[in-house]
Amino acid sequence: MADAPAAASPVDGADRVPWSTVFAYGVPAVGAGYMYLLIGLYVMKFSTDVLLISPLVMGLIFSASRVWDAVSDPLVGYLSDRTRSVFGRRRTWMAASVVPISATFVMIFAPPTGLSATGLVIWMAVAIIGFYSVMTAFFVPHLSLGAELSTNYHERSRLFGFRHGFYTVGSILSLLTMQILIGAEAEGPGAARQSAFGTSLPACLFMALMIVFAVAKLRERPEFQGRVNANPLRAFADVWRNHHARLLIIVTLIENIGSAAIGVLTLYVAQYVVGAPHMAPLVILFYMIPSAFSVPLWIPLSRRIGKVRLWMYSMLGTGFSFGAMFLLPFMPMELRLPWIFVFAVFAGLAAGCGGTIGPSVQGDVIDYDELRTGERKEGSYFAAWNFVYKSAIGVMLALTGFVLELSGFVPNQPQTMTTQLWMVGLYGIFPLVCYTVGAILFSRFKLDEAAYRQIRAELDANPRTTSPRTPQGRPQGRPLRRTGGRS
């Protein structure tokens, strides 16, 4: 795999993204990370234990939201690519998402007390599916904006790295809130409802203020507007025809199926293998803290050894960190908890690298698409990767249910060694296999720094890439799409 960094790859002063821009871009991710993880980890329990809704019904609601993602993600991505506004393509969508995000998040945690059982189910279905829909309207344009803020190979890593750090900080804060809400449940359903409503309001206010701040502070490239084919199917066909993107989609799916284990199975492993269910949030915390705060480490390292090679190494590191969990049932009970903490830290470090480098590499692939097609469709690309990420979680949830059923799992009872081995096999060996396969496939990825510099030089040398647009949205004098391609 060719990924030697260029002999000298300084960031020119003109290319350097100001810290104020990095902060303005990244800080809304605190709210996004908080909301996503709190809903993913706690809303099922809140709905079944406090609202008394059937777990089967809630499972169907969450499944329906994933089915709808298959429509909403590409739709938002394509429409944001096509948007023409004085606010820009991405900030228009971000600004429009402020009120719906706040409304649906509060709806989830504050259903009216007088609703019938059917009315409560309808309320939660509208709130949950609505929340994921409007978060897509923020999330995909926001990711797309990161690829537009800089065309420098390494500055993109800096932008996305600090965004990942902010997102993980929000996730950490959601763990603290979850502990507060679980504590309130002990006082009764009324106290739990009141606490849920009370904690949702400041979260919404913070998220709204940070989105407004980002919209006001950030600027978009006006020359990128109006450069998307009018046929949405053609736009998504371009994504799949882009061999760099196609490889990344496959690797992203494999990698995220493996990483979903930390969220889906940690509660089970902590309770039934380690024997410390109350420590599960702390295990996740030990994973998240190094993931967030290792970002400043990965950015200079990617300059030294190349971000493609570094990302591949991080995949292997994450896989082996999870693989070590398979040994838990064979260890003395008193060593199991320290063991899971240690390897949660190593897995979190490697995940921080992936969160920093992955979207940056995706941005490079989008520039390659511009060279091939003359278009700028960051939304379509990030919508595809975002959908793959969500699908991976759905696959892991379904696989967990199947494995637990097959292994003879009995809730709230000590598990047999066979059942424990099935659990840690899914928690450790399965991610190890996924990440190893992903790293092997990713070794075929050829868009390294040298290749990107050639692409960037050709784009920058062609003044038609920034020329005024024809009514059809094409650069004047440039064909809409080019035949052939380059490696």
Side-chain angles (χ1 to χ4, degrees):
M1 178 182 64
D3 187 36
S9 56
V11 179
D12 297 331
D15 293 335
R16 183 78 172 178
V17 178
W19 277 109
S20 58
T21 299
V22 174
F23 179 81
Y25 175 67
V27 74
V30 176
Y34 177 92
M35 291 178 170
Y36 263 122
L37 191 66
L38 187 62
I39 288 176
L41 288 182
Y42 181 69
V43 165
M44 175 68 81
K45 188 175 190 303
F46 176 73
S47 300
T48 57
D49 294 8
V50 177
L51 304 181
L52 304 180
I53 300 175
S54 163
L56 175 61
V57 171
M58 289 306 302
L60 290 174
I61 290 174
F62 278 104
S63 296
S65 72
R66 289 293 177 259
V67 172
W68 171 239
D69 283 338
V71 177
S72 64
D73 278 35
L75 181 63
V76 168
Y78 176 74
L79 290 178
S80 72
D81 284 339
R82 296 272 297 172
T83 297
R84 304 190 67 146
S85 165
V86 294
F87 283 105
R89 299 187 295 170
R90 314 304 178 190
R91 292 181 301 146
T92 299
W93 283 80
M94 291 165 59
S97 71
V98 170
V99 173
I101 287 174
S102 299
T104 52
F105 189 73
V106 172
M107 279 181 68
I108 290 172
F109 291 101
T113 55
L115 289 176
S116 65
T118 301
L120 189 58
V121 168
I122 294 173
W123 178 280
M124 293 301 288
V126 170
I128 290 171
I129 296 173
F131 171 79
Y132 282 118
S133 299
V134 296
M135 280 301 286
T136 294
F138 161 78
F139 210 78
V140 171
H142 186 244
L143 278 170
S144 303
L145 180 58
E148 300 177 26
L149 289 174
S150 176
T151 57
N152 183 279
Y153 187 75
H154 291 295
E155 282 297 278
R156 277 184 174 153
S157 299
R158 184 163 154 260
L159 276 164
F160 284 114
F162 280 92
R163 178 195 172 278
H164 170 76
F166 280 122
Y167 186 92
T168 309
V169 167
S171 301
I172 292 169
L173 293 175
S174 75
L175 292 176
L176 302 177
T177 300
M178 186 175 68
Q179 290 295 95
I180 293 172
L181 296 176
I182 291 174
E185 289 183 23
E187 302 176 23
R193 279 174 171 261
Q194 186 176 1
S195 182
F197 175 65
T199 55
S200 68
L201 291 179
C204 290
L205 179 61
F206 177 84
M207 181 66 169
L209 289 175
M210 292 305 98
I211 293 176
V212 170
F213 171 70
V215 169
K217 177 68 178 176
L218 300 175
R219 295 293 179 266
E220 298 183 43
R221 297 170 183 262
E223 69 270 18
F224 283 1
Q225 291 198 43
R227 292 175 58 185
V228 182
N229 194 285
N231 184 342
L233 297 179
R234 189 71 174 269
F236 288 105
D238 280 345
V239 175
W240 187 249
R241 279 195 292 261
N242 183 335
H243 60 281
H244 297 306
R246 187 168 60 246
L247 178 58
L248 272 186
I249 287 172
I250 295 170
V251 170
T252 300
L253 177 63
I254 294 171
E255 180 187 20
N256 281 285
I257 289 174
S259 66
I262 188 73
V264 176
L265 280 164
T266 296
L267 297 176
Y268 289 96
V269 172
Q271 179 170 348
Y272 298 111
V273 180
V274 178
H278 60 288
M279 301 300 288
L282 195 58
V283 172
I284 298 175
L285 192 63
F286 268 59
Y287 173 86
M288 288 181 173
I289 288 177
S291 178
F293 294 101
S294 65
V295 168
L297 168 68
W298 303 121
I299 295 171
L301 269 179
S302 70
R303 290 191 174 102
R304 289 180 64 87
I305 68 175
K307 62 187 187 185
V308 173
R309 181 179 291 136
L310 184 62
W311 191 13
M312 185 182 71
Y313 291 162
S314 80
M315 292 181 196
L316 293 173
T318 308
F320 283 107
S321 297
F322 276 111
M325 305 297 186
F326 183 74
L327 300 177
L328 284 169
F330 304 101
M331 304 176 67
M333 187 63 73
E334 63 272 14
L335 295 180
R336 295 183 186 184
L337 190 59
W339 185 267
I340 196 172
F341 278 144
V342 167
F343 284 98
V345 169
F346 283 117
L349 282 169
C353 179
T356 299
I357 303 302
S360 178
V361 173
Q362 291 164 351
D364 302 338
V365 171
I366 293 167
D367 284 357
Y368 172 78
D369 177 84
E370 181 186 9
L371 183 66
R372 291 179 59 250
T373 68
E375 299 174 10
R376 293 296 307 191
K377 42 181 179 284
E378 293 90 342
S380 299
Y381 274 87
F382 278 106
W385 285 308
N386 197 45
F387 176 67
V388 165
Y389 164 74
K390 294 177 180 178
S391 300
I393 296 175
V395 168
M396 194 65 190
L397 284 167
L399 188 60
T400 298
F402 174 77
V403 168
L404 291 179
E405 185 72 23
L406 183 66
S407 68
F409 171 75
V410 180
N412 301 312
Q413 298 293 327
Q415 305 301 319
T416 65
M417 176 58 83
T418 299
T419 302
Q420 291 185 46
L421 288 175
W422 276 98
M423 283 184 184
V424 294
L426 192 58
Y427 192 61
I429 299 301
F430 184 70
L432 172 60
V433 171
C434 286
Y435 277 100
T436 302
V437 171
I440 292 171
L441 290 175
F442 193 57
S443 67
R444 302 170 57 191
F445 189 80
K446 303 303 180 185
L447 209 170
D448 61 2
E449 184 171 359
Y452 179 78
R453 284 178 176 273
Q454 294 176 10
I455 293 168
R456 192 70 254 165
E458 187 169 342
L459 289 172
D460 292 342
N462 189 342
R464 289 172 293 183
T465 62
T466 56
S467 65
R469 306 293 156 218
T470 67
Q472 291 76 29
R474 297 197 304 260
Q476 291 178 359
R478 178 174 180 163
L480 180 62
R481 52 185 62 244
R482 302 170 47 148
T483 58
R486 56 186 293 171
S487 298

